[in-house]
Amino acid sequence: MAESLHEQTPQRNQALGDHRAAYANDAHEMDRVYLSGYGETWAKTILIGEHSAVYGYPAIALPLQSLKMRAWVTPTGGGEHMLHALGYEGELRSSGKRFAGIRRAVKVAESFVGRSSLAFDIVTEADFPAERGLGSSAAAAGAVIRAVIDAYGRSATPDELFGLTNGAEIVTHGHPSGLDSVTTCASDPILLDHGAISTVDMDIPAYLVIADSGISGSTREAVGGVRRQYEHDFESTKALLDSMGVLGRQAVVDLAQGDIEGLGERMNQAQQMLDRLAVSHPVLDLLVQSALESGAAGAKLTGGGLGGCMIALSPSMVTAEAIRTNLYGQGAKKVWIHPMHSRSQSLVRDAQGYASARKQADENTR
Ligand code: MEV
């Protein structure tokens, strides 16, 4: 049995460090004491293959474990789930479109444990911004799902957690490839290729500079736009996606061989293709240009696009710092530097395992 691709949720209530308790409000459970639950995930960045991933083509994403998403759920003894997230304070059920993924996350977790007797105070807190292509919706859903399951004193396997998270993502994104759901709880770079998930052998002495344009990008809108282009202009969009797929495969080799120039070139080509799919943004184009002029080997948008973040590949820390300074000079709201550590691990999940997780995600949404 291969080692898990995912990290497990830290122990119950470790982050809260307290033992707030509440009684369930149904008669059968009056004698049980429930504790708060905790869940943790993190941000992700897509190196190559956003959008083409939705059509099955190979895509590579890196987990950013230093940028955490945390969720706490505390039984209140009341009748309604309450949400405290991104400045919203109120009933979960009245939390609007922006929190549809969290509502679904709570539902899928309750249906997984077979209970919904508790009303929770749900708190989420993130080290990274929402709606910027860093996977915040999958990360929030994953953290809340873990917290609810934890509060009921249950646990779930990585495959189950993936299926549940992707079930919540369907509400947010429409047709998620699964890349965000798996990478926001992975410990290694992930390759998603025609439904099969594996880790990527990465041995490249480079730095990834990640910059937030400050502009919110809707992944749902971006994915919908690409879908319309695919349907209305099938031949040329399919050819474009095919070429993006080729870049994904080449990038796997670049990462394994430590070919910074090669990977940078793939990223530049990917940016041109994403631009042709109409998911870039003038501010992202400006930041990409600035990074290239500052010595980046390659630069592109990352995630859904239409705003959000861009990434630049730097051959050294000194260059990465120069890129960062200039990105701030061009108006970037936040810039992170991520060392691309070396890994030589290849854990492969077969397509069948992934398909069964997808099936479960689909069932969870019915
Ligand atoms: C979003 O982070 C990445 C997309 O490819 C959508 C997906 O893979 O589900 C745009």
Side-chain angles (χ1 to χ4, degrees):
M1 172 70 186
E3 189 189 316
S4 166
L5 294 175
H6 315 252
E7 299 249 321
Q8 297 297 320
T9 292
Q11 289 315 294
R12 282 172 67 75
N13 306 305
Q14 158 185 312
L16 268 184
D18 67 16
H19 289 270
R20 280 176 282 172
Y23 288 95
N25 49 14
D26 91 19
H28 282 307
E29 303 200 328
M30 283 303 283
D31 55 339
R32 289 195 61 169
V33 176
Y34 289 91
L35 302 178
S36 302
Y38 177 68
E40 187 179 290
T41 53
W42 38 85
K44 66 93 206 352
T45 186
I46 298 180
L47 198 56
I48 219 109
E50 50 275 274
H51 290 289
S52 48
V54 174
Y55 300 80
Y57 294 97
I60 303 165
L62 310 183
L64 303 174
Q65 285 184 276
S66 57
L67 300 178
K68 292 274 195 279
M69 172 72 72
R70 305 172 192 86
W72 295 270
V73 305
T74 308
T76 61
E80 280 289 335
H81 292 310
M82 303 299 290
L83 179 65
H84 312 265
L86 299 173
Y88 176 82
E89 301 276 333
E91 288 183 356
L92 177 67
R93 69 169 169 172
S94 319
S95 58
K97 218 165 131 194
R98 190 176 196 199
F99 298 103
I102 295 205
R103 287 197 295 281
R104 181 53 67 98
V106 173
K107 273 213 159 32
V108 298
E110 286 175 339
S111 104
F112 174 78
V113 298
R115 291 217 165 124
S116 56
S117 48
L118 298 177
F120 294 118
D121 241 340
I122 302 162
V123 178
T124 66
E125 180 191 280
D127 299 336
F128 58 102
E131 293 150 7
R132 299 292 205 282
L134 296 180
S136 68
S137 64
V144 166
I145 286 165
R146 283 164 174 76
V148 170
I149 292 174
D150 186 40
Y152 278 105
R154 295 274 305 275
S155 59
T157 65
D159 271 350
E160 287 167 337
L161 288 167
F162 168 74
L164 294 168
T165 306
N166 222 38
E169 273 286 90
I170 286 166
V171 175
T172 314
H173 286 177
H175 300 282
S177 64
L179 194 54
D180 290 13
S181 298
V182 71
T183 313
T184 50
C185 59
S187 37
D188 297 302
I190 294 292
L191 169 69
L192 175 65
D193 186 356
H194 291 90
I197 299 169
S198 58
T199 53
V200 177
D201 182 4
M202 185 164 89
D203 190 9
I204 190 160
Y207 295 81
L208 207 59
V209 184
I210 304 156
D212 177 10
S213 68
I215 297 161
S216 294
S218 161
T219 300
R220 190 183 188 89
E221 202 182 301
V223 169
V226 174
R227 174 70 58 187
R228 282 191 292 281
Q229 191 169 328
Y230 186 75
E231 282 163 5
H232 293 141
D233 191 2
F234 177 74
E235 292 300 330
S236 65
T237 311
K238 166 88 169 48
L240 198 53
L241 294 169
D242 285 347
S243 308
M244 291 169 86
V246 172
L247 292 181
R249 283 193 206 299
Q250 289 170 329
V252 172
V253 178
D254 296 333
L255 284 168
Q257 295 184 344
D259 185 350
I260 298 176
E261 234 174 80
L263 181 60
E265 183 49 31
R266 278 3 126 201
M267 290 168 66
N268 291 337
Q269 288 175 14
Q271 173 62 20
Q272 286 168 17
M273 294 174 191
L274 289 163
D275 194 36
R276 285 176 59 198
L277 287 177
V279 294
S280 195
H281 185 283
V283 174
L284 289 173
D285 297 343
L286 187 77
L287 296 178
V288 163
Q289 195 54 38
S290 161
L292 292 174
E293 284 166 9
S294 311
K300 61 180 275 293
L301 69 84
T302 185
L306 300 178
C309 287
M310 55 76 66
I311 53 175
L313 186 70
S314 171
S316 73
M317 190 60 185
V318 172
T319 305
E321 279 165 357
I323 293 169
R324 172 167 62 187
T325 303
N326 292 336
L327 287 170
Y328 275 129
Q330 291 296 332
K333 296 294 173 274
K334 179 86 188 155
V335 184
W336 300 269
I337 297 178
H338 176 75
M340 296 172 74
H341 64 284
S342 304
R343 290 288 304 188
S344 54
Q345 201 183 3
S346 64
L347 306 173
V348 181
R349 277 175 189 222
D350 60 18
Q352 202 185 350
Y354 180 62
S356 82
R358 282 305 296 263
K359 188 160 168 277
Q360 192 196 330
D362 294 343
E363 279 165 7
N364 287 333
T365 59
R366 281 195 200 119

